[in-house]
Amino acid sequence: MAQQSLTASVKDVAAAAGVSLGTVSNVLNRPDRVAAATREKVERAMAELGFVRNESARSLRAGRTRTLAYVMLDAGNPFFTDVAQGIEHAAEGAELSLFLCNSDARASREATHLGHLEQQRVQGILITPVDPESPVLDAIAHRGTPLVIVDRTRRGAQFCSVAVDDVLGGRLAVEHLVDRGHRRVALVGGPLSIGQVADRFEGARTAWTSAGLPPDDLTLLVADSLTVAAGRSAGERLAGIPSGRRPTAAFCANDLVALGLLQHATTTGLQVPEQLAIVGYDDIEFAAAAAVPLTSVRQPRQELGRAAADLVLDEAGNPQHEHRQVVFTPELVARASTRG
Amino acid sequence: MAQQSLTASVKDVAAAAGVSLGTVSNVLNRPDRVAAATREKVERAMAELGFVRNESARSLRAGRTRTLAYVMLDAGNPFFTDVAQGIEHAAEGAELSLFLCNSDARASREATHLGHLEQQRVQGILITPVDPESPVLDAIAHRGTPLVIVDRTRRGAQFCSVAVDDVLGGRLAVEHLVDRGHRRVALVGGPLSIGQVADRFEGARTAWTSAGLPPDDLTLLVADSLTVAAGRSAGERLAGIPSGRRPTAAFCANDLVALGLLQHATTTGLQVPEQLAIVGYDDIEFAAAAAVPLTSVRQPRQELGRAAADLVLDEAGNPQHEHRQVVFTPELVARASTRG
DNA sequence: TTGTACGCGTTATCAT
DNA sequence: ATGATAACGCGTACAA
């Protein structure tokens, strides 16, 4: 019952139990090698002293930690928390702790986190980077920490990565809109420097031209971030277009933007989907939960996380590991926001 | 340029730089005590070897880590990610890393996380517990890790805690509805075993009876979780009430439930707020972003996190620390969902 | 089956 | 200004 302030060590336990230090260690790590009576005595001592293993000492000794880390791009976006869930499941299975960090899309914070994680000697780092081409990532891999890029890809093959085919996703979205008869469509999202956005819009354009539609009728509305606020502001610009030329449908680069656009439409009395159909991307829970449930392009978020974790664990544990680029296939989920 | 697989130690650096181990340590920790020329030499060696400090060794030596942890109740609920942001800011200011965990409202996962965190010897644990009365929490505090309860309170004063006055919040919500002329109101949420829910509804009832309204006209619709799905299902039950007796307004225990209810209303053609006014709780970003922007009771989420972090740091560093129960005041934010 | 001794990487103290 | 050394807590060979 002594309140040891978390400071009882194996040595203390040994003393209290009247055995040697090695025996305590054996109780901890090879319980079978120690007589039942002794073991019980030791366990009682541990309970009484409130003994807690010191992970720092264990890691130091073992040369590696029992920890994985995921650096999220935006913890406020449910997409990433779902990815994190997938990772966490995998980590749990491997009896690893998961260190969750949030870069909030700021390179400096990302760098700070990465620095800490390297010092912590985490077994591996999963990251949705602000910039997948950043040399910071190379430096880390070069120094030896396994690193997997999540939901982005990188030129070359210096890392494992797990992503979703965004070009295909964009194509699915626009094909769906064309199928439903739309002949003037807006692409809403940005900045275009984000690889995903560029890819999704590229796929969108491909679908458009493949359908033999005039490029001029595919309007690009660039947003400065993938947020609800950006969606609202895009809504204003959309409303400013004369109704004769105004797109009858919008494909948004993610669901947050789509929700913002939907809100703007609803509050200004624009009927969705009758006057404006909307397709989002990611299929976060809030997309289905919107007042007008959103059609969206679903990404296998949890699987994304799980696959990434598997890769990083392979890289950490398998000597003949080879970098792989896993690409998942997205899927269109049609809901009321496009049901004319 | 050597690829040391993250395995260069101060010893290696010392050898490479042709100085002693102590000097390298001084370069790291007291740069002023070492001659500029020597320092430069050492720094060059560190860069060449890709030296990275080993946090395990540092912690072991120092007897404590540079890490804080927050065990979230539900990482998928934006409320908690906002709280986490507040904590992270505080942690950043104190040059601490933040370990984010997600119990997902499961006691077993919570226990697992807590076990790991204790072994990690984190400086302090912030937690929104599944059950604030759980003896697991006492055990941890008893063993010496500072622990602060976030967004719940606990009988007695064995912990610091940071919460929001939920009774007041419930009162504000229902007063607002009564002010707007509603005479039949539903309380939607659950389970009632969750302290927050109970408190919010208690405040709601107080406001109701204080206004001299008959208790029978305050309908309780118990949900089995605080999720969007639960809100939808409550919507169905609400719709089942004959329109003459049906509540004209609903106060939901959180915004997720409110969003679910809103969705159900919208898809079934029930006008919000004309036929059904809705008040949510938490004021998460998605509340304002809903198609019909939600009136909600705002909690100072980031401040909550920051205050909790300050408390845990005080407990960790200040010998004459005393447990405190901080209670913030909520605030009603009126939006379209109650603007008849 | 149990006990002893050493090393993991870092830091601080002490001596030079 | 710099170098040598002990200590943090644990795990594991090795010895008994």
Side-chain angles (χ1 to χ4, degrees):
Chain A
M1 282 301 151
Q3 171 141 7
Q4 296 293 69
S5 260
L6 203 54
T7 203
S9 75
V10 283
K11 201 186 292 181
D12 301 318
V13 174
V19 300
S20 89
L21 191 154
T23 300
V24 177
S25 177
N26 279 335
V27 171
L28 253 17
N29 304 301
R30 282 90 107 226
D32 43 307
R33 285 201 204 168
V34 48
T38 317
R39 194 175 61 216
E40 212 168 297
K41 200 166 53 175
V42 172
E43 278 165 352
R44 199 161 34 236
M46 297 202 292
E48 269 171 22
L49 293 172
F51 170 75
V52 175
R53 272 154 109 127
N54 183 322
E55 180 61 27
S56 294
R58 293 210 323 147
S59 307
L60 178 57
R61 177 67 236 232
R64 61 174 196 168
T65 59
R66 319 197 104 276
T67 309
L68 238 45
Y70 177 42
V71 184
M72 288 187 279
L73 187 63
D74 175 10
N77 184 339
F79 172 78
F80 293 109
T81 60
D82 286 346
V83 172
Q85 285 238 7
I87 297 173
E88 181 132 21
H89 285 149
E92 209 173 356
E95 301 203 38
L96 261 31
S97 296
L98 180 64
F99 217 129
L100 244 35
C101 309
N102 180 19
S103 71
D104 227 359
R106 282 159 44 200
S108 62
R109 282 185 48 115
E110 181 181 281
T112 306
H113 284 307
L114 289 173
H116 284 152
L117 295 174
E118 261 192 301
Q119 300 191 182
Q120 311 260 11
R121 298 289 195 277
V122 294
Q123 279 209 28
I125 296 177
L126 308 176
I127 182 171
T128 302
V130 176
D131 168 18
E133 306 295 335
S134 165
V136 176
L137 305 182
D138 298 83
I140 288 174
H142 182 254
R143 280 184 229 108
T145 304
L147 186 150
V148 171
I149 296 181
V150 180
D151 193 44
R152 309 245 144 155
T153 37
R154 159 122 182 198
R155 289 192 283 277
Q158 310 143 56
F159 302 102
C160 282
S161 69
V162 179
V164 182
D165 186 341
D166 284 314
V167 176
L168 174 58
R171 202 147 62 75
L172 292 175
V174 168
E175 279 172 0
H176 173 72
L177 289 173
V178 170
D179 279 355
R180 305 201 73 72
H182 294 282
R183 293 297 176 264
R184 289 194 307 276
V185 168
L187 304 181
V188 183
L192 299 175
S193 56
I194 296 181
Q196 276 87 335
V197 178
D199 286 356
R200 290 167 195 176
F201 287 177
E202 181 194 325
R205 280 197 203 87
T206 304
W208 192 254
T209 52
S210 300
L213 296 167
D216 281 357
D217 291 343
L218 191 64
T219 311
L220 180 62
L221 285 178
V222 178
D224 54 3
S225 66
L226 293 176
T227 60
V228 174
R232 269 193 296 260
S233 111
E236 278 170 35
R237 279 178 286 157
L238 197 61
I241 300 176
S243 64
R245 289 182 40 234
R246 189 189 304 148
T248 60
F251 167 45
C252 299
N254 82 353
D255 284 337
L256 300 184
V257 172
L259 287 170
L261 181 60
L262 171 63
Q263 182 186 33
H264 184 270
T266 316
T267 58
T268 58
L270 201 65
Q271 296 285 323
V272 175
E274 291 78 3
Q275 298 174 269
L276 180 68
I278 300 180
V279 179
Y281 206 105
D282 285 349
D283 193 31
I284 60 176
E285 194 196 351
F286 292 104
V292 181
L294 274 183
T295 294
S296 191
V297 178
R298 171 179 297 164
Q299 313 202 61
R301 305 184 288 279
Q302 302 232 358
E303 288 84 343
L304 213 60
R306 175 167 276 289
D310 288 345
L311 285 176
V312 88
L313 289 175
D314 186 69
E315 184 166 350
N318 177 1
Q320 52 242 27
H321 169 85
E322 281 178 22
H323 291 328
R324 261 183 300 157
Q325 329 283 320
V326 176
V327 178
F328 284 96
T329 301
E331 177 189 358
L332 186 105
V333 182
R335 299 204 183 85
S337 72
T338 57
R339 263 198 277 279
Chain B
M1 284 300 153
Q3 171 142 6
Q4 296 293 70
S5 260
L6 204 53
T7 202
S9 75
V10 282
K11 200 186 292 182
D12 301 319
V13 174
V19 300
S20 90
L21 191 155
T23 300
V24 177
S25 176
N26 280 334
V27 171
L28 253 17
N29 304 301
R30 280 91 103 228
D32 43 306
R33 285 202 203 165
V34 47
T38 317
R39 194 175 62 218
E40 212 168 297
K41 201 166 53 175
V42 171
E43 277 164 351
R44 200 161 31 237
M46 297 202 292
E48 269 171 20
L49 293 172
F51 170 76
V52 175
R53 272 153 111 127
N54 184 323
E55 179 63 26
S56 294
R58 270 164 51 99
S59 307
L60 177 58
R61 174 66 230 223
R64 62 175 195 169
T65 59
R66 322 197 102 275
T67 308
L68 236 47
Y70 176 42
V71 184
M72 290 187 277
L73 187 63
D74 175 10
N77 184 339
F79 173 78
F80 293 109
T81 58
D82 287 346
V83 172
Q85 284 238 6
I87 297 173
E88 181 133 21
H89 284 149
E92 210 174 355
E95 300 203 38
L96 262 32
S97 296
L98 179 64
F99 217 127
L100 244 36
C101 309
N102 180 21
S103 71
D104 226 359
R106 282 158 47 198
S108 62
R109 282 183 48 116
E110 181 181 282
T112 306
H113 284 308
L114 289 173
H116 283 153
L117 295 175
E118 262 192 300
Q119 301 191 179
Q120 310 260 11
R121 298 289 195 277
V122 294
Q123 279 209 28
I125 297 177
L126 308 176
I127 182 171
T128 302
V130 175
D131 168 18
E133 307 295 334
S134 164
V136 176
L137 305 182
D138 297 82
I140 288 175
H142 182 254
R143 279 184 228 111
T145 304
L147 186 149
V148 172
I149 296 182
V150 179
D151 194 44
R152 309 246 143 154
T153 37
R154 160 121 182 197
R155 289 192 283 277
Q158 311 142 52
F159 302 102
C160 282
S161 69
V162 179
V164 181
D165 187 341
D166 284 314
V167 176
L168 173 57
R171 202 148 61 74
L172 291 175
V174 168
E175 279 171 359
H176 174 72
L177 289 174
V178 170
D179 279 355
R180 305 202 73 73
H182 294 281
R183 292 300 174 263
R184 289 194 307 276
V185 168
L187 304 181
V188 183
L192 299 174
S193 56
I194 296 181
Q196 277 87 335
V197 178
D199 286 356
R200 290 166 196 177
F201 287 177
E202 180 194 326
R205 280 197 205 87
T206 305
W208 192 254
T209 52
S210 301
L213 296 168
D216 281 357
D217 291 344
L218 191 64
T219 311
L220 179 62
L221 285 179
V222 178
D224 54 3
S225 65
L226 293 176
T227 59
V228 174
R232 268 193 296 259
S233 112
E236 278 172 35
R237 279 178 286 156
L238 197 61
I241 302 177
S243 64
R245 289 181 40 235
R246 189 189 305 149
T248 60
F251 167 44
C252 300
N254 82 355
D255 284 338
L256 300 184
V257 173
L259 287 170
L261 181 59
L262 172 63
Q263 183 187 32
H264 185 271
T266 315
T267 58
T268 58
L270 202 65
Q271 296 286 322
V272 175
E274 291 79 5
Q275 298 174 270
L276 180 69
I278 300 179
V279 179
Y281 207 104
D282 284 349
D283 193 31
I284 60 176
E285 194 197 350
F286 292 104
V292 180
L294 274 183
T295 293
S296 191
V297 179
R298 170 178 298 166
Q299 313 202 63
R301 305 184 288 280
Q302 301 232 359
E303 289 84 342
L304 213 61
R306 174 168 277 288
D310 288 346
L311 285 176
V312 88
L313 289 175
D314 186 68
E315 185 167 350
N318 177 0
Q320 52 241 27
H321 169 85
E322 281 178 22
H323 291 329
R324 264 183 298 157
Q325 328 282 322
V326 177
V327 178
F328 283 97
T329 301
E331 177 190 358
L332 187 105
V333 182
R335 298 206 183 84
S337 72
T338 58
R339 262 197 278 280

